[in-house]
Amino acid sequence: MITTRTQKITILDDITFAIPARSIFTINGPSGSGKSTLLNMLTGIDRPSSGRIIFAGEELRVRSENQLARWRGQHVGIVFQFFQLIPTLTALENVLLALELGKSKLPRRSWRLRSLQCLDLVEMEQYAQRLPSELSGGQQQRVAIARALANDPPVIIADEPTGNLDSQMAHAVFDILTRLTQYDKTIIYVTHDLDLASRATAGLLLRDGRIVQQLHTHLTSGEQR
Ligand SMILES: Nc1ncnc2c1ncn2[C@@H]1O[C@H](COP(=O)(O)OP(=O)(O)O)[C@@H](O)[C@H]1O
Ligand SMILES: [Mg+2]
């Protein structure tokens, strides 16, 4: 429920689900169904008016904005629809900046290597010195994924990350995110593309702020986040 100046609006209602650790989990639904609001709950940007969010076994409690920002920096990497790379920085510098902003505890002399390793995970190491304008949309999104990985968060959250890409590039980016589950990452992927959603480990379908379907294609792990 969101309280505006004039009224209270219920955006999400009766939402209960668990995301299996090390899975790729899709949140699917038409525009306006509440997908972004749900993601904002998971990252503490929005707070539910009732109910709880358990993140990696720990309840997401009310914290100060500062504490929350620090928590987010360590626990979630975010990938945006429009990449949001800094246009004047190279691919490598964009990843390095995430280490700087995330106040990485790694020794500074290892930052460059760490950034190159992240670029390598998304098959972009050979483009490390390119500016975003010198890369295709799919390549820019891979750099954005590398940036999200920089501080080694257990969870990557992507809000329509392939909404701006053609189908072939979208599937390539999806493949890369799927592969990250082998490195113990849990991927939460918002999409309105049913084709991609059908390739996920599990997921749910939202409509008008309610879960209308839960999808578990090949769920085996008993462990849940
Ligand atoms: N702060 C807000 N105040 C009023 N309405 C909001 C607010 N945030 C979201 N909404 C409404 O909630 C619904 C869900 O929005 P959103 O989570 O952005 O959907 P989606 O990401 O699925 O397109 C929409 O109808 C939107 O207009
Ligand atoms: Mg949205």
Side-chain angles (χ1 to χ4, degrees):
M1 186 157 64
I2 288 198
T3 310
T4 65
R5 211 154 39 83
T6 48
Q7 56 181 335
K8 288 180 176 178
I9 313 165
T10 299
I11 293 174
L12 295 171
D13 193 24
D14 194 22
I15 301 284
T16 303
F17 67 98
I19 299 177
R22 294 174 288 281
S23 71
I24 180 155
F25 186 93
T26 52
I27 298 175
N28 197 231
S31 179
S33 58
K35 304 183 297 296
S36 295
T37 306
L38 186 54
L39 286 190
N40 288 343
M41 299 278 171
L42 302 180
T43 55
I45 290 171
D46 285 334
R47 297 195 180 114
S49 48
S50 67
R52 297 186 305 157
I53 293 153
I54 314 284
F55 193 107
E58 224 184 298
E59 183 168 354
L60 203 59
R61 285 168 293 101
V62 177
R63 304 170 209 233
S64 71
E65 286 306 320
N66 260 343
Q67 282 177 316
L68 205 53
R70 203 170 321 120
W71 175 86
R72 213 177 283 128
Q74 288 161 0
H75 291 82
V76 283
I78 302 183
V79 179
F80 304 95
Q81 180 173 359
F82 296 103
F83 330 133
Q84 256 114 300
L85 297 173
I86 308 280
T88 52
L89 299 181
T90 64
L92 176 65
E93 289 164 347
N94 267 282
V95 183
L96 280 167
L97 183 64
L99 291 167
E100 182 82 51
L101 295 176
K103 299 195 171 61
S104 173
K105 292 195 181 71
L106 295 175
R108 206 169 262 271
R109 66 189 138 73
S110 68
W111 284 14
R112 190 185 157 83
L113 180 61
R114 168 76 195 156
S115 300
L116 288 170
Q117 284 168 342
C118 292
L119 286 169
D120 189 36
L121 277 177
V122 297
E123 297 168 6
M124 285 298 292
E125 199 183 355
Q126 67 273 39
Y127 300 106
Q129 302 306 335
R130 296 262 186 108
L131 291 170
S133 59
E134 298 165 333
L135 299 170
S136 72
Q139 289 172 332
Q140 289 182 58
Q141 195 56 301
R142 277 147 61 186
V143 173
I145 294 168
R147 176 180 60 185
L149 289 167
N151 293 301
D152 206 20
V155 175
I156 302 284
I157 288 186
D159 195 354
E160 312 242 19
T162 53
N164 199 36
L165 302 178
D166 67 42
S167 163
Q168 198 187 343
M169 275 193 197
H171 280 271
V173 167
F174 190 88
D175 288 341
I176 284 183
L177 287 168
T178 303
R179 196 167 352 117
L180 295 178
T181 61
Q182 294 165 17
Y183 298 93
D184 289 341
K185 302 297 177 197
T186 302
I187 315 295
I188 305 176
Y189 192 107
V190 164
T191 177
H192 53 238
D193 184 337
L194 277 171
D195 224 28
L196 286 177
S198 70
R199 296 182 51 204
T201 324
L204 56 82
L205 182 59
L206 278 184
R207 185 156 297 145
D208 299 329
R210 285 173 170 268
I211 296 176
V212 289
Q213 199 185 342
Q214 301 228 21
L215 316 158
H216 295 269
T217 48
H218 39 85
L219 181 54
T220 49
S221 162
E223 198 183 333
Q224 315 221 297
R225 277 178 205 274

